[in-house]
């Protein structure tokens, strides 16, 4: 079994801890040691979801040859990118976690440190970047490409040949029509239907999805 620590200790961290318990019921794969957090959040003796908060990034570096890590900071994507890129450069290995009910075809590629949650449906020839979260009950169609450090919330439908850039945030129940392209750092509001390309950094909302100013 791999010794695993989770970086972060919020609500999504608890969900991922539960997912690991479900993975281990199917096949014992991980010894979840607990959570590590940024220094400002650490207090000795803390517990989250019955697992200890065992230290900070310094602990992770001291034990990098003994453990693997997954960043479970839900958002913003920039924070997750900063954590994973920093510690990867220092030799920490990041583990991809896939819920046990998700079937992944051999043509699907998923990057290091990504998290694929319960009920996600993949088809074929799909590429998911590193550090990306795909939350529950989503659907990813053939030839879709999703970049690094994205956050795709629950029940989204990414259809065939859609291309989503890096650090894109997608609210729940959004729908992407085939062949749509979404630029880096875009934000797609919950429930939106994306018919046309979305430029980098743009925020869109509605059906059809249109630019909004926040």
């Amino acid at each position: 079994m791999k010794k695993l620590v989770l970086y972060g200790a919020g609500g999504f961290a608890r969900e991922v801890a539960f997912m690991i318990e479900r993975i281990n019921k199917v096949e014992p794969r991980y010894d979840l040691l607990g959570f590590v957090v940024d220094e400002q959040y650490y207090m000795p003796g803390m517990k989250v979801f019955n697992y200890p908060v065992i230290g900070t990034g310094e602990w992770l570096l001291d034990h990098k040859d003994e453990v693997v890590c997954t960043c479970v900071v839900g958002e913003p994507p920039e924070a997750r990118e900063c954590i994973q890129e920093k510690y990867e450069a220092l030799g920490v290995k990041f583990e991809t976690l896939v819920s046990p009910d998700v079937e992944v075809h051999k043509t699907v590629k998923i990057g290091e440190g990504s998290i694929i949650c319960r009920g996600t449906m993949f088809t074929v020839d799909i590429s998911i970047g590193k550090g990306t979260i795909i939350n529950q009950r989503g659907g990813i169609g053939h030839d879709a490409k999703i970049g690094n450090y994205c956050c795709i919330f629950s029940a989204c439908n990414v259809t065939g040949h859609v291309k989503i850039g890096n650090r894109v945030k997608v609210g729940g129940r959004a729908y992407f029509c085939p062949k749509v392209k979404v630029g880096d750092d875009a934000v797609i509001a919950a429930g939106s239907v994306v018919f046309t390309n979305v430029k980098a950094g743009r925020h869109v909302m509605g059906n059809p999805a249109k630019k909004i100013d926040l």
Side-chain angles (χ1 to χ4, degrees), residues 1-7 12 16 19-20 23-24 28-32 60 64 66-72 80 84 87-88 91-98 110-116 129-133:
M1 293 175 69
K2 291 183 179 180
K3 294 182 178 179
L4 173 68
V5 295
L6 302 179
Y7 199 112
F12 186 61
V16 174
M19 187 174 84
I20 292 164
I23 290 171
N24 285 338
R29 293 180 60 191
Y30 298 112
D31 179 9
L32 179 55
L60 183 59
K64 66 182 181 181
E66 306 161 25
V67 303
V68 293
C69 178
T70 302
C71 181
V72 291
R80 197 163 58 256
Q84 183 163 334
Y87 289 102
E88 274 187 335
V92 175
K93 296 180 180 65
F94 278 77
E95 182 78 358
T96 298
L97 299 175
V98 180
I110 304 174
E112 296 86 355
S114 287
I115 303 169
I116 312 300
K130 64 180 183 177
T132 282
I133 296 169

Side-chain angles (χ1 to χ4, degrees), residues 156-205:
C156 292
N157 196 332
V158 179
T159 59
H161 291 284
V162 169
K163 291 182 172 58
I164 295 176
N166 300 317
R167 298 174 301 277
V168 174
K169 184 176 175 181
V170 182
R173 299 189 179 277
Y175 180 91
F176 295 82
C177 293
K179 299 183 181 180
V180 159
K181 296 180 181 179
V182 179
D184 296 346
D185 304 297
V187 177
I188 313 299
S192 296
V193 179
V194 184
F195 285 93
T196 58
N197 296 345
V198 178
K199 292 182 179 180
R202 181 159 288 181
H203 293 212
V204 302
M205 180 175 69

Side-chain angles (χ1 to χ4, degrees), residues 15-204:
E15 292 182 350
V16 174
F18 175 43
M19 187 174 84
I20 292 164
E21 291 177 352
R22 292 177 58 245
I23 290 171
N24 285 338
K25 282 184 179 179
V26 175
E27 178 187 354
R29 293 180 60 191
Y30 298 112
D31 179 9
L32 179 55
L33 303 183
F35 304 90
V36 295
V37 294
D38 291 341
E39 188 172 345
Q40 64 266 35
Y41 301 119
Y42 178 68
M43 292 178 58
M46 287 176 62
K47 281 195 170 184
V48 175
F49 201 60
N50 248 356
Y51 296 95
V53 178
I54 53 182
T56 66
E58 185 175 340
W59 184 98
L60 183 59
L61 292 176
D62 288 342
H63 296 82
K64 66 182 181 181
D65 296 326
E66 306 161 25
V67 303
V68 293
C69 178
T70 302
C71 181
V72 291
V73 175
E75 55 176 312
E78 296 83 4
R80 197 163 58 256
E81 179 182 38
C82 182
I83 291 165
Q84 183 163 334
E85 293 292 330
K86 172 183 176 179
Y87 289 102
E88 274 187 335
L90 294 170
V92 175
K93 296 180 180 65
F94 278 77
E95 182 78 358
T96 298
L97 299 175
V98 180
S99 178
D101 63 324
V102 175
E103 186 174 354
V104 180
H105 191 262
K106 62 183 179 181
T107 58
V108 175
K109 298 178 181 178
I110 304 174
E112 296 86 355
S114 287
I115 303 169
I116 312 300
C117 296
R118 185 173 190 167
T120 302
M121 178 62 195
F122 287 107
T123 60
V124 295
D125 295 307
I126 293 163
S127 174
I128 308 294
K130 64 180 183 177
T132 282
I133 296 169
I134 299 181
N135 220 311
Q136 303 180 72
R137 304 186 309 279
I140 314 296
H142 64 86
D143 300 289
K145 294 184 178 180
I146 299 175
N148 301 324
Y149 306 108
C150 294
C151 188
I152 313 294
F153 281 76
S154 296
C156 292
N157 196 332
V158 179
T159 59
H161 291 284
V162 169
K163 291 182 172 58
I164 295 176
N166 300 317
R167 298 174 301 277
V168 174
K169 184 176 175 181
V170 182
R173 299 189 179 277
Y175 180 91
F176 295 82
C177 293
K179 299 183 181 180
V180 159
K181 296 180 181 179
V182 179
D184 296 346
D185 304 297
V187 177
I188 313 299
S192 296
V193 179
V194 184
F195 285 93
T196 58
N197 296 345
V198 178
K199 292 182 179 180
R202 181 159 288 181
H203 293 212
V204 302

